[in-house]
């Protein structure tokens, strides 16, 4: 389990992290979202032991990360900007990582290389997308217990994005790999994450499992035979209408909301799926900043 408790970090007068706290359960796929400048990349550099926090603690299974090679050997990070020796090939990097990660899987590297004909070319000759593809293949071959990803599929084409997610989720299912990935694109995370945290101004504003989020807000379409009643006991977060058909987003579980609305005798009622973006908009609608700054 990754635990971050009240971590602070200042660069000069700028508070990059301001009491950030989060918990990533073992085997979870945790999505860290927020606007540019929220502190996501800074937090990731603390999680991987690159930065030492000014205050607070960061532990993996109770062990501190900073200046702890034993913990770092269980982790692999792909940063937004790939830092490799540009004259090296992916095969050169295979030999490098095999010396660092005792569980490095050379047979898997050979299998993946068959789908990656650029493996023998120097990285300086590869595009940004191919370099990131190389980083993913190497990361998966290292068999890390914890995989940390900063804007993981940025620069990859749609086919490769799907392949990367498939390989990644396969490792989560088969080996229990813990994944923390940072992105400001909620639509990208909706199909892969089971936990989500929202960062804003250097701290975690909200942290929940996706199932809890989906169970706390309900979207329904409802049509009544006469005048539309006001559903007492239910909080309507958003409402819109097309003719007599009303679309309401209400706070509460789908079961409880539908049971209460059924008492009002609608002619038609249907619960609709909510996107992760909609959930955050209406969950955070009362917070004292503009949600659109988070949901880029």
């Amino acid at each position: 389990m990754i635990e971050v408790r009240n971590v602070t970090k200042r660069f000069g007068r700028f508070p990059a992290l301001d009491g950030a706290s989060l918990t990533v359960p073992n085997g979870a796929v945790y999505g860290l979202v927020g606007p540019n400048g929220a502190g996501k990349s800074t937090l990731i550099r603390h999680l991987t032991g690159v930065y030492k926090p000014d205050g607070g603690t960061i532990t993996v299974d109770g062990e501190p990360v900073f200046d702890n090679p034993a913990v770092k050997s269980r982790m692999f990070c792909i940063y937004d900007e790939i830092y490799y020796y540009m004259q090296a090939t992916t095969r050169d990097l295979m030999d490098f990582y095999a010396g660092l990660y005792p569980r490095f899987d050379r047979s898997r590297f050979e299998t993946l290389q068959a789908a990656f004909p650029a493996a023998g070319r120097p990285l300086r000759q590869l595009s940004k997308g191919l370099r990131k593809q190389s980083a993913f293949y190497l990361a998966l071959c290292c068999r890390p217990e914890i995989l940390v990803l900063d804007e993981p599929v940025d620069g990859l084409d749609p086919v490769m994005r799907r392949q990367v997610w498939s390989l990644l989720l396969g490792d989560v299912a088969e080996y229990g790999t813990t994944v923390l990935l940072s992105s400001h694109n909620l639509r990208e995370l909706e199909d892969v994450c089971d936990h989500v945290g929202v960062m804003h101004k250097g701290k975690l504003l909200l942290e929940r499992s996706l199932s809890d989020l989906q169970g706390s807000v309900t979207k329904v379409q409802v049509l009544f035979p006469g005048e539309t009643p006001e559903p007492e006991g239910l909080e309507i977060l958003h409402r819109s209408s097309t003719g007599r058909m009303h679309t309401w987003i209400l706070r509460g579980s789908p079961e409880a909301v539908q049971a209460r609305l059924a008492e009002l005798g609608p002619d038609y009622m249907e619960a609709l799926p909510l996107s992760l973006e909609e959930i955050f908009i209406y969950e955070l609608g009362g917070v004292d900043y503009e949600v659109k700054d988070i949901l880029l």
Side-chain angles (χ1 to χ4, degrees), residues 215-220 231 233-235 248-264 269 271:
S216 64
V217 183
T218 302
K219 181 178 183 179
V220 295
L234 292 176
E235 179 184 358
W248 290 344
I249 296 178
L250 307 101
R251 190 176 303 282
S253 68
E255 296 79 10
V257 167
Q258 290 183 87
R260 177 68 186 93
L261 292 178
E263 297 174 1
L264 303 177
M269 179 174 62

Side-chain angles (χ1 to χ4, degrees), residues 115-129:
F116 183 48
R121 292 161 52 192
L123 294 181
R124 67 174 180 270
Q125 297 180 7
L126 305 183
S127 66
K128 178 181 178 180

Side-chain angles (χ1 to χ4, degrees), residues 115-116 129 133 137 153 156-165:
F116 183 48
Q133 188 175 333
Y137 285 167
V153 294
L156 298 181
D157 62 71
V159 173
M160 185 51 59
R161 290 162 85 104
R162 179 175 295 184
Q163 182 178 348
V164 163
W165 287 128

Side-chain angles (χ1 to χ4, degrees), residues 50-285:
V50 176
Y51 290 161
K52 182 178 181 180
D54 295 336
T57 61
I58 302 172
T59 60
V60 173
D61 295 336
E63 294 291 324
V65 176
F66 187 77
D67 203 20
N68 191 338
V71 171
K72 292 181 181 181
S73 69
R74 300 166 55 193
M75 308 171 71
F76 194 104
C77 181
I78 300 178
Y79 296 102
D80 185 26
E81 294 293 333
I82 304 296
Y83 295 100
Y84 285 140
Y85 295 110
M86 289 295 103
Q87 69 271 24
T89 66
T90 305
R91 183 166 290 279
D92 294 331
L93 292 171
M94 176 197 71
D95 294 330
F96 174 74
Y97 282 119
L100 295 176
Y101 289 88
R103 302 202 306 174
F104 193 93
D105 190 337
R106 289 179 179 270
S107 63
R108 189 180 204 190
F109 178 87
E110 299 299 338
T111 300
L112 292 174
Q113 183 187 234
F116 183 48
R121 292 161 52 192
L123 294 181
R124 67 174 180 270
Q125 297 180 7
L126 305 183
S127 66
K128 178 181 178 180
L130 288 176
R131 290 175 190 171
K132 183 151 285 190
Q133 188 175 333
S134 298
F136 260 107
Y137 285 167
L138 290 164
L140 294 172
C141 292
C142 288
R143 301 285 192 194
E145 296 175 38
I146 300 169
L147 187 56
V148 181
L149 308 171
D150 193 359
E151 299 294 347
V153 294
D154 183 36
L156 298 181
D157 62 71
V159 173
M160 185 51 59
R161 290 162 85 104
R162 179 175 295 184
Q163 182 178 348
V164 163
W165 287 128
S166 176
L167 290 168
L168 187 62
L169 295 177
D171 277 13
V172 172
E174 186 172 355
Y175 304 108
T177 306
T178 302
V179 180
L180 183 144
L181 56 99
S182 163
S183 179
H184 60 266
N185 188 339
L186 288 173
R187 296 177 185 87
E188 181 178 79
L189 304 181
E190 190 165 3
D191 294 334
V192 298
C193 293
D194 47 37
H195 288 72
V196 181
V198 178
M199 283 200 77
H200 182 62
K201 294 184 178 180
K203 62 179 65 178
L204 266 291
L205 186 68
L206 180 148
E207 182 182 39
R208 294 187 193 172
S209 71
L210 193 57
S211 60
D212 286 345
L213 282 172
Q214 291 170 333
S216 64
V217 183
T218 302
K219 181 178 183 179
V220 295
Q221 280 190 333
V222 61
L223 185 150
F224 293 95
E227 185 177 346
T228 301
E230 191 69 19
E232 296 182 7
L234 292 176
E235 179 184 358
I236 299 181
L237 303 174
H238 176 77
R239 64 178 81 202
S240 62
S241 301
T242 302
R244 293 173 51 224
M245 182 70 73
H246 301 280
T247 301
W248 290 344
I249 296 178
L250 307 101
R251 190 176 303 282
S253 68
E255 296 79 10
V257 167
Q258 290 183 87
R260 177 68 186 93
L261 292 178
E263 297 174 1
L264 303 177
D267 283 344
Y268 172 83
M269 179 174 62
E270 180 183 10
L272 303 175
L274 270 165
S275 69
L276 184 57
E277 183 175 38
E278 287 177 309
I279 292 171
F280 277 123
I281 287 173
Y282 300 113
E283 276 283 354
L284 304 178

